[in-house]
Amino acid sequence: MHKVIIIGSGCAGLTAAIYAARADLKPLVLDGYEPGGQLALTTEVENFPGFPEGILGPELIERTRKQAQRFGAEFRAGAVASVDLSKRPFTIAAGKETYESETLIVAAGASARMLGIESERNLLGHGVSTCATCDGAFFRNRDIIVVGGGDTAMEEATFLTKFAKKVMLVHRRSEFRASRIMLDRARANEKIQFMTPFEIAEVHDVTKKSVELVTLRNTETGKTETVATEGVFVAIGHDPNTKVFRGQLKMDENGYLITHDGPKTDVEGVFAAGDVQDHHYRQAITAAGSGCMAAIEVERFLSAAKS
Ligand code: NDP
């Protein structure tokens, strides 16, 4: 029987693990599908406080993980297959094991949707990005592409014009899912060039480990063309990793967990931290902050249950 199990080992889960371990709760962290979360998929991180020269995402994760281990946090590989939150202790099945825990911190994150092209995966963190706030500043005076037709794409394209010389907004249809106001704002921006109806067929050049060109395919005619660009921002949405909690935890229509009073979910003893409950900020530092809050609430919950 565990006092606290933390699902997810990104910034939120690891920070929760540091705090829970230092409170002597011996947390067990279940790594999930993407150990280290989104930071593990990025390169340079320049906006995490305390690293004036910047730090590589995987290194930041590795250091945070070691910090949690130093205080006794335990880690297990394996994605969570099912949970039973109907009674305490909660039951969590992951890999071949079933665990029981008095409390649970869900820090399973949200995965950025990807186009699904191999070159895109290979160049992630090397010119391909899923986060304009994180990586925009690396593209000063460059020509870049933003892919997508929703509010995220409009917001990111508009934000990126602060840095880029030109932003090409590539969308697979000529109609947009984005709200009128955000679409109009992007259309009014002289630095944004709308390119529809195109999809990205290939990102080059994997051998050079940098983005130099993309092949675009017209989705109506099938014709392809190449366009020079130094960055590709994939802004086609995120999927919170909450499938296993469906029907057990309250979530919004997009699957994000709904929290109240900080990290509390609608089930007593279950807390949520990081992108799994935040589609607004999605930053490493905000995820870390909410992980800290979740661990503090776990400690308070367990103390109250004892007395
Ligand atoms: P959406 O699901 O709204 O839009 C995703 C976009 O990406 C669509 O245009 C879709 O194209 C395109 N897309 C999806 N998959 C692919 C693919 N494989 N290849 C190419 N294109 C693809 O996601 P968002 O993240 O934009 O928005 C999510 C929610 O968050 C919305 O409710 C939005 O309003 C909200 N939001 C609000 C903001 C604000 O108000 N400031 C900012 C950001 C988001 P297609 O249309 O053809 O399906």
Side-chain angles (χ1 to χ4, degrees), residues 12 15-16 19 105 261-264 271-273 277 286-300:
T15 305
Y19 274 76
I105 295 177
D261 298 319
K264 295 180 183 171
F271 303 88
Q277 50 86 55
T286 51
S290 70
C292 155
M293 287 155 70
I296 289 175
E297 291 299 340
V298 160
E299 196 187 351
R300 288 183 184 158

Side-chain angles (χ1 to χ4, degrees), residues 151-280:
D151 281 340
T152 299
M154 299 309 135
E155 191 170 70
E156 303 227 323
T158 306
F159 172 78
L160 287 165
T161 57
K162 281 205 226 175
F163 310 101
K165 189 159 68 176
K166 180 169 82 173
V167 176
M168 292 166 273
L169 191 119
V170 173
H171 178 40
R172 63 187 176 185
R173 295 186 296 137
S174 300
E175 299 77 42
F176 289 87
R177 208 178 277 269
S179 56
R180 188 84 242 163
I181 183 165
M182 298 194 57
L183 181 59
D184 287 348
R185 193 175 299 148
R187 280 206 163 118
N189 191 317
E190 283 175 1
K191 278 189 168 182
I192 301 179
Q193 178 189 348
F194 279 70
M195 300 174 80
T196 65
F198 287 105
E199 61 187 6
I200 304 233
E202 204 62 69
V203 188
H204 313 274
D205 189 332
V206 173
T207 49
K208 292 189 190 153
K209 268 284 183 209
S210 69
V211 172
E212 302 190 347
L213 275 181
V214 296
T215 305
L216 297 181
R217 185 186 300 116
N218 186 309
T219 56
E220 283 166 12
T221 64
K223 279 196 183 141
T224 58
E225 58 186 88
T226 54
V227 173
T229 183
E230 288 179 74
V232 175
F233 284 82
V234 182
I236 60 174
H238 286 77
D239 292 314
N241 300 313
T242 52
K243 259 190 213 145
V244 294
F245 305 105
R246 262 186 216 151
Q248 303 199 62
L249 291 177
K250 224 191 237 179
M251 41 186 89
D252 69 13
E253 69 279 8
N254 295 315
Y256 287 90
L257 297 185
I258 295 175
T259 49
H260 66 94
D261 298 319
K264 295 180 183 171
T265 69
D266 59 321
V267 173
E268 260 192 81
V270 180
F271 303 88
D275 289 8
V276 79
Q277 50 86 55
D278 167 29
H279 52 80
H280 190 68

